[in-house]
């Protein structure tokens, strides 16, 4: 059913609910046949079980979108062997629906059940599965016996109408249900059913460490200050947190924070989400997928009845919908690779050229949130890389969409500040001491040239070229004198 040149949509959002059998069989077939079998593969986000690696090694992937985390695929992307389209996660099916990406030939969707009318009941993610199934010519369903039937009823499938006569998305509160519990398609579109029995790949998120705990502390202190000043409501606003160690650590820090009875409206519901549900801190969590460590996965899926009334899984074009994000007044917390002295954020490209994973949903949330926060450790690679730089060589989130930046060194609230004021605050509060004077020197030199956003263009990327040439952003004279400094909260 899948042939060279086809466009294929596969379920899966951050290693959850991904198709586990058919893509692997496709890679095996490509190796055995020895003739071209190259497809465009669209998903919700990243896949588990090394599927992207196997497809890449079998040369099945001609084009991939909108997100990935696999090292083998990443290397092929950066060699130019696979064309990767890095998209805001809310936009992929919008473009597909508008016929701007061509027709979708086949959808491969993991399900826990199929209803009598042909409705597909997703498993641990919805992602783009619903729209893929609706828009594809044919649908291959993987019924996964490892996914509990108790997942049925957890989903809320709402699909927007076609523009320009689209109705509003009627979500007023994170707990609102506005759709159906299954993906409704004509049963004759289901071309094949494959039976599998394989759990989702477990999350690879690491537990909090000293630096991520400090970041969490800075943010919780900031939130307390905002509430005391009346700039945030007493009942904490709904929270979105991206996937990863830093976001997970911040959420984990809320277990002991003085905030109760708040809600989560996010993409990925991870271990810390269920810690907060268990602690009574979070009353309801809405997401597009459930991505958990192995132990938490077994516990949550084995006790779904305990969480059922407090969970919902939605299509990612709903979980990431700008209308809802703006209406709910979300606080959005996402991770940066680096940010510059004016608050521009690079989330995707190492050295400005080499793709890491992708922008994911961070842009969907940051542009429309009531408070958009980006967090990162102040250094990487044992201090050889500063995450605060003179100018980001690739910009995913410009200064207009960034409200707060934070590292383990401290936090900078950029709201209401002009670029020159931002620069002084970011360097003072967020930069690592090893790089603080270097950043001040750059900024003072840039001021000589004037401008609303002062820069020395001939020096702006000198740190990145020094890293490329020497393996460190630090000048040679400084690399041997790296003092150990205990960070303090700003």
């Amino acid at each position: 059913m899948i042939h060279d040149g086809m466009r294929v949509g596969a379920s899966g959002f951050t290693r959850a609910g991904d198709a586990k059998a058919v893509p692997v069989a496709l890679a095996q077939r490509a190796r055995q046949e020895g003739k071209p079998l190259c497809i465009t593969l669209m998903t919700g986000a990243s896949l588990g079980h090394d599927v992207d690696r196997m497809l890449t090694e079998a040369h099945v992937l001609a084009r991939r979108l909108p997100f990935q985390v696999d090292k083998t695929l990443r290397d092929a992307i950066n060699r130019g062997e696979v064309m990767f389209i890095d998209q805001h996660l809310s936009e992929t099916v919008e473009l597909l629906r508008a016929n701007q990406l061509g027709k979708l030939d086949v959808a491969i969707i993991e399900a826990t059940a199929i209803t009598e009318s042909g409705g597909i009941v997703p498993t641990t993610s919805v992602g783009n599965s619903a729209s893929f199934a609706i828009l594809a010519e044919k649908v291959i369903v993987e019924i996964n016996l490892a996914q509990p039937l108790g997942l049925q009823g957890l989903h809320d499938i709402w699909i927007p109408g076609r523009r320009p006569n689209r109705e509003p998305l009627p979500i007023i509160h994170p707990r609102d249900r506005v759709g159906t519990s299954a993906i409704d398609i004509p049963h004759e579109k289901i071309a094949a059913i494959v039976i599998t029995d394989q759990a989702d790949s477990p999350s690879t998120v690491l537990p909090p460490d000293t630096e991520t705990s400090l970041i969490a502390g800075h943010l919780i202190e900031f939130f307390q200050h905002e509430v005391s000043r009346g700039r945030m409501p007493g009942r904490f606003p709904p929270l979105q947190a991206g996937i990863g160690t830093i976001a997970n650590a911040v959420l984990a820090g809320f277990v002991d924070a003085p905030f109760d009875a708040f809600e989560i409206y996010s993409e990925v519901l991870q271990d810390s989400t269920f810690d907060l549900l268990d602690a009574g801190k979070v009353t309801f969590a809405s997401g597009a997928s459930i991505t958990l460590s192995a132990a938490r996965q077994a516990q949550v899926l084995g006790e779904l009845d305990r969480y059922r009334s407090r969970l919902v899984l939605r299509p990612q074009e709903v979980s990431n919908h700008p209308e809802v994000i703006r209406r709910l007044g979300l606080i959005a917390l996402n991770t940066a690779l680096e940010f510059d002295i004016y608050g521009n954020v690079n989330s995707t490209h190492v050295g400005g050229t080499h793709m890491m994973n992708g922008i994911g949903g961070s842009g969907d949330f940051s542009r429309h949130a009531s408070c958009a926060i980006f967090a990162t450790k102040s250094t990487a690679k044992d201090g050889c890389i500063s995450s605060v730089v003179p100018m980001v060589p690739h910009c995913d989130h410009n200064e207009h969409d960034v409200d707060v930046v934070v590292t383990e060194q401290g936090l900078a609230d950029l709201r209401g500040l002009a670029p020159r004021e931002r620069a002084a605050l970011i360097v003072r509060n967020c930069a690592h001491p090893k790089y603080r004077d270097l950043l001040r020197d750059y900024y003072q030199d840039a001021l000589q040239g004037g401008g609303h956003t002062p820069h020395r263009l001939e020096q702006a990327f000198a740190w990145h070229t020094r890293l490329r040439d020497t393996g460190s952003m630090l000048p040679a004279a400084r690399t041997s004198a790296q003092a150990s400094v205990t960070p303090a909260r700003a």
Side-chain angles (χ1 to χ4, degrees):
M1 296 182 186
I2 300 174
H3 305 292
D4 184 52
M6 279 189 167
R7 298 180 185 88
V8 177
S11 65
F13 192 107
T14 317
R15 304 164 70 90
D18 51 323
K20 300 173 176 66
V22 176
V24 174
L26 194 64
Q28 292 170 345
R29 178 181 140 209
R31 286 196 183 94
Q32 292 165 359
E33 290 185 348
K35 60 183 181 181
L37 177 54
C38 296
I39 65 170
T40 292
L41 178 63
M42 309 177 194
T43 59
S46 56
L47 302 177
H49 297 286
D50 292 328
V51 167
D52 271 324
R53 175 184 62 79
M54 288 184 274
L55 291 172
T56 302
E57 291 174 346
H59 305 290
V60 172
L61 298 180
R63 190 174 299 269
R64 181 76 169 86
L65 59 153
F67 189 81
Q68 56 76 42
V69 298
D70 182 82
K71 182 182 185 305
T72 300
L73 174 55
R74 181 187 307 137
D75 291 343
I77 290 167
N78 289 322
R79 289 193 301 267
E81 295 171 5
V82 176
M83 295 296 103
F84 179 61
I85 304 173
D86 185 24
Q87 290 180 323
H88 298 297
L89 293 188
S90 67
E91 292 186 344
T92 303
V93 292
E94 287 280 24
L95 296 172
L96 196 61
R97 188 181 293 115
N99 200 31
Q100 295 176 21
L101 297 176
K103 72 179 180 70
L104 192 65
D105 296 292
V106 177
I108 312 166
I109 309 298
E110 181 177 89
T112 192
I114 302 176
T115 67
E116 291 180 358
S117 63
I120 300 171
V121 179
T123 58
T124 47
S125 72
V126 180
N128 283 329
S129 298
S131 287
F132 286 163
I134 291 167
L135 296 170
E137 296 288 319
K138 295 180 179 180
V139 180
I140 300 171
V141 181
E142 292 192 5
I143 298 287
N144 190 344
L145 303 180
Q147 301 280 26
L149 286 172
L151 288 166
Q152 192 163 0
L154 201 64
H155 312 92
D156 186 46
I157 311 299
W158 185 91
I159 304 298
R162 291 184 181 268
R163 296 177 290 201
N165 301 310
R166 177 177 295 175
E167 68 276 18
L169 205 175
I171 293 177
I172 309 300
H173 306 286
R175 64 180 61 241
D176 288 346
R177 287 179 172 271
V178 297
T180 61
S181 59
I183 303 167
D184 292 320
I185 61 171
H187 63 80
E188 59 267 20
K189 282 185 65 172
I190 299 178
I193 297 173
V194 177
I195 306 300
T196 65
D197 189 355
Q198 190 173 13
D200 287 336
S201 292
S203 166
T204 57
V205 173
L206 299 173
D209 58 22
T210 300
E211 291 168 313
T212 56
S213 296
L214 283 168
I215 291 171
H218 294 317
L219 283 170
I220 290 168
E221 185 177 308
F222 166 73
F223 294 142
Q224 289 179 281
H225 182 263
E226 289 296 285
V227 171
S228 69
R229 292 282 299 274
R231 300 200 296 196
M232 282 185 184
R235 183 181 179 186
F236 199 67
L239 184 67
Q240 175 265 334
I243 191 71
T245 300
I246 291 176
N248 198 61
V250 172
L251 284 182
F254 270 88
V255 171
D256 299 316
F259 301 109
D260 296 306
F262 66 95
E263 297 169 311
I264 288 176
Y265 191 89
S266 193
E267 299 170 318
V268 182
L269 307 181
Q270 47 194 323
D271 282 26
S272 53
T273 303
F274 290 89
D275 293 341
L276 290 166
L277 286 166
D278 289 346
K281 294 286 187 174
V282 165
T283 59
F284 195 88
S286 167
S289 77
I290 298 174
T291 303
L292 303 170
S293 64
R296 253 310 192 180
Q297 185 180 122
Q299 181 263 319
V300 169
L301 295 184
E303 301 178 17
L304 279 172
D305 286 344
R306 189 155 71 86
Y307 298 106
R308 180 176 301 282
S309 63
R310 297 179 289 164
L311 289 178
V312 66
L313 292 179
R314 311 182 190 274
Q316 66 197 69
E317 58 185 315
V318 175
S319 67
N320 294 32
H321 200 291
E323 179 184 359
V324 180
I325 294 167
R326 181 69 62 92
R327 180 184 298 133
L328 295 179
L330 289 189
I331 296 172
L333 170 64
N334 290 285
T335 304
L337 285 180
E338 60 186 353
F339 55 83
D340 66 26
I341 59 175
Y342 297 112
N344 301 290
V345 172
N346 172 19
S347 296
T348 59
H349 284 72
V350 175
T353 57
H354 282 58
M355 171 58 65
M356 179 59 72
N357 298 327
I359 194 170
S362 56
D364 294 325
F365 287 97
S366 64
R367 172 64 63 92
H368 305 284
S370 65
C371 184
I373 301 167
F374 284 90
T376 184
K377 296 182 179 182
S378 65
T379 63
K381 301 294 184 186
D382 296 322
C384 291
I385 297 175
S386 174
S387 300
V388 186
V389 296
M391 179 187 281
V392 289
H394 178 93
C395 185
D396 293 293
H397 312 280
N398 64 50
E399 58 181 291
H400 308 292
D401 299 333
V402 179
D403 296 315
V404 173
V405 290
V406 59
T407 71
E408 81 285 354
Q409 300 296 322
L411 179 147
D413 181 357
L414 308 179
R415 296 170 298 177
L417 300 184
R420 293 183 183 221
E421 297 169 312
R422 287 177 168 226
L425 187 64
I426 288 172
V427 172
R428 182 176 69 247
N429 287 5
C430 300
H432 193 279
K434 290 187 294 188
Y435 289 94
R436 202 170 288 152
D437 287 344
L438 290 171
L439 286 166
R440 288 190 178 119
D441 290 347
Y442 170 83
Y443 178 61
Q444 290 301 317
D445 194 24
L447 285 173
Q448 305 308 308
H452 176 249
T453 307
H455 270 301
R456 285 291 191 189
L457 295 182
E458 67 276 15
Q459 300 174 18
F461 301 134
W463 292 28
H464 294 88
T465 55
R466 188 158 58 235
L467 174 65
R468 178 198 64 197
D469 296 339
T470 71
S472 175
M473 287 185 173
L474 286 168
R478 292 190 180 229
T479 55
S480 60
Q482 299 179 359
S484 174
V485 180
T486 301
R489 293 186 186 173

